[in-house]
Amino acid sequence: NAGVTQTPKFQVLKTGQSMTLQCAQDMNHNSMYWYRQDPGMGLRLIYYSASEGTTDKGEVPNGYNVSRLNKREFSLRLESAAPSQTSVYFCASSADRRNTEAFFGQGTRLTVV
Amino acid sequence: DAKTTQPPSMDCAEGRAANLPCNHSTISGNEYVYWYRQIHSQGPQYIIHGLKNNETNEMASLIITEDRKSSTLILPHATLRDTAVYYCIAAHPGRTYKYIFGTGTRLKVLA
């Protein structure tokens, strides 16, 4: 029972490099999310996808793009990484029906130097 | 969605009940109270949620005041593994994208 799987777990990038963070869920959830968490702070929503083929901006979308590849997978892309994007990134999914909760991945720790 | 206020930190002796308060004075009538926790730097983990009745599951109990302006998460017999940051969130059901994660309460369970 994998739940929400994120890859990679750790990554170091140089300023200006690009990369894609991968996320997959096996719970047949409609909704998927990308958050970032900076030291000492709560999670902030970057983008979300309410269903396959749709994406919407969250609180902090600048500098990121997303793709909802299919119902299982939701990727986050940094086109030109900046030191301000150093953070821990969490992917989550939910069924988004009444009385359901969100499930989170274990995170990707990204450092941009 | 309503914002919530939690104390930044609390300590609890191992084996005792941990009572974590949350203030959500601006909560609307159909917003639920959700609790999640984050152990070390892992992804948040769902604990419990409720609308107005008290709720209990295998992990915790949730007590919501009659006016719904505050709630308390109770871990009945805290263990060292319960040391974590606990987040209280007020949100409409099915609107996870509206979750507001504050800084939560850092609970330290002491041996």
Side-chain angles (χ1 to χ4, degrees), chain B residues 85-107:
Chain B
V85 178
Y86 288 76
Y87 297 100
C88 169
I89 299 167
H92 292 90
R95 295 189 188 178
T96 305
Y97 63 92
K98 290 282 195 177
Y99 278 8
I100 299 174
F101 286 89
T103 51
T105 296
R106 185 173 297 276
L107 175 69

Side-chain angles (χ1 to χ4, degrees), chain B residues 1-2 26-34 50-51 68 90-93:
Chain B
D1 289 359
T26 62
I27 196 169
S28 67
N30 53 358
E31 284 183 306
Y32 281 65
V33 179
Y34 295 84
L51 181 62
R68 301 209 328 119
H92 292 90

Side-chain angles (χ1 to χ4, degrees), chain A residues 6-8 12 26 30 33 41 54 61 66-67 74-75 78 90 93 97 101 113:
Chain A
Q6 293 183 233
T7 55
V12 178
D26 61 2
N30 288 323
Y33 315 84
M41 297 182 66
T54 68
V66 290
S67 295
F74 188 38
S75 63
L78 287 70
F90 291 101
S93 72
R97 293 188 301 271
E101 69 268 27
V113 298

Side-chain angles (χ1 to χ4, degrees), chain A residues 33 37 42 96 99 101-102 104-105, chain B residues 36 38 43 46 49 87 94 96 102:
Chain A
Y33 315 84
Q37 185 175 31
D96 267 355
N99 289 326
E101 69 268 27
F104 289 80
Chain B
Y36 287 78
Q38 188 173 25
Y46 166 81
H49 73 283
Y87 297 100
T96 305

Side-chain angles (χ1 to χ4, degrees), chain B residues 33-54:
Chain B
V33 179
Y34 295 84
W35 283 84
Y36 287 78
R37 72 181 182 183
Q38 188 173 25
I39 296 174
H40 201 230
S41 295
Q42 297 176 21
Q45 174 193 25
Y46 166 81
I47 301 173
I48 198 168
H49 73 283
L51 181 62
K52 53 184 177 182
N53 298 320
N54 298 338

Side-chain angles (χ1 to χ4, degrees), chain A residues 7-8 11 13 18-22 34 65 75-78:
Chain A
T7 55
Q11 184 72 47
L13 287 179
S18 62
M19 80 160 295
T20 300
L21 281 64
Q22 307 286 354
W34 276 105
N65 287 303
S75 63
L76 178 72
R77 182 161 178 83
L78 287 70

